[in-house]
Amino acid sequence: MRTKIVAGNWKMNLDVEASKKLAMDISTDIQNLETNNTRIIIAPTFTNLYPVINLVGMDTRIEIAAQNMHQAKSGAYTGEIAADMIQSIGVNTVILGHSERRTYFNETDKALAEKVNTALQNRMDVIFCFGEVLEDRQQNNHFSIVEIQLKKALFHLKPQDWKHIILAYEPVWAIGTGETATPEQAQEMHAFIRNLLSAKFGENVAQEVSILYGGSVKPANAKEIFSKPDVDGGLIGGAALHSQDFTALIQAIQ
Ligand code: 13P
């Protein structure tokens, strides 16, 4: 059975006190939930990872992830953070390839392939994001764009590497816009991705990889999206910044 996952990407929001409060609120709010089958992940900004870990690190239901990392082991990369540094504070999961990184910070498929390699060499788990822009969908290119993104960054992996990969399909036109893909659009893309994985890596890998949907997931629409057979959870932006909403999303996946 595939792991269900609700992951909160806090992006560049919240100072240290607000991050600690949100993490603590989530820890408290999920106390009475039956969350055994769900991985709950939160991704604060770099400066808030350590304080949040110190606060809720003992809560085994909550995993902490970084939002990015550099591919090099160390060196002259001013402003960047290496895998070893993230791991030295106890973080073993990283979000890579978010569309905001691709768009505003020019992250290329090649750089992302290197980042994925570094993460896997360090035995980290990767939440790998990808998705088409509006124009691609309007021109009916969304399947080929997603296929290219996955092939360029992930198709060099070995079947056993996929144990450490979580996919997050995030159509760019649905991120922060209030416009979600319909549950049918999400299901259609997730099934397409699983077929691609099956053809390249075998049916076992395809059936085991969790594929999350991201893009304006809210308590009001989550249940329907999460009910689709190939949607294994969500990567959440705005709604992850409110403990009650985030908790409602965890409930919606049960
Ligand atoms: P929103 O949920 O705010 O649309 O953001 C989605 C996202 O980008 C998560 O990584």
Side-chain angles (χ1 to χ4, degrees), residues 130-133 136-137 141-151 189 192:
F130 53 93
E132 82 282 359
V133 298
D136 298 325
R137 185 160 279 266
N141 286 334
H142 45 295
F143 292 116
S144 58
I145 292 289
V146 162
E147 183 169 350
I148 290 167
Q149 287 174 328
L150 293 177
K151 279 189 171 162
M189 182 59 86
F192 170 77

Side-chain angles (χ1 to χ4, degrees), residues 80-191:
E80 291 292 327
I81 313 267
D84 285 351
M85 297 168 186
I86 296 168
Q87 289 190 290
S88 69
I89 58 164
V91 173
N92 288 300
T93 304
V94 62
I95 298 173
L96 294 176
H98 194 281
S99 65
E100 288 147 19
R101 301 283 329 158
R102 294 175 191 256
T103 305
Y104 305 135
F105 305 98
N106 304 316
E107 285 198 0
T108 61
D109 294 312
K110 181 172 173 290
L112 289 171
E114 291 168 6
K115 289 185 180 206
V116 169
N117 289 345
T118 300
L120 293 177
Q121 278 156 18
N122 281 268
R123 297 180 205 284
M124 295 175 81
D125 284 355
V126 173
I127 302 176
F128 185 83
C129 309
F130 53 93
E132 82 282 359
V133 298
L134 184 58
E135 206 181 22
D136 298 325
R137 185 160 279 266
Q138 284 168 338
Q139 294 173 356
N140 220 22
N141 286 334
H142 45 295
F143 292 116
S144 58
I145 292 289
V146 162
E147 183 169 350
I148 290 167
Q149 287 174 328
L150 293 177
K151 279 189 171 162
K152 286 192 169 169
L154 299 176
F155 269 34
H156 63 285
L157 298 182
K158 300 188 188 72
Q160 61 267 31
D161 292 332
W162 283 87
K163 281 195 212 68
H164 300 285
I165 305 283
I166 298 161
L167 294 179
Y169 168 57
E170 298 204 307
V172 180
W173 48 271
I175 295 177
T177 59
E179 187 170 346
T180 39
T182 64
E184 290 71 29
Q185 286 172 322
Q187 167 58 28
E188 182 185 41
M189 182 59 86
H190 287 214

Side-chain angles (χ1 to χ4, degrees), residues 9 11 98 100 170 174-177 214-218 235-239:
N9 175 9
K11 308 192 179 184
H98 194 281
E100 288 147 19
E170 298 204 307
I175 295 177
T177 59
S216 297
V217 178
K218 308 272 182 246
L235 181 57
I236 319 297

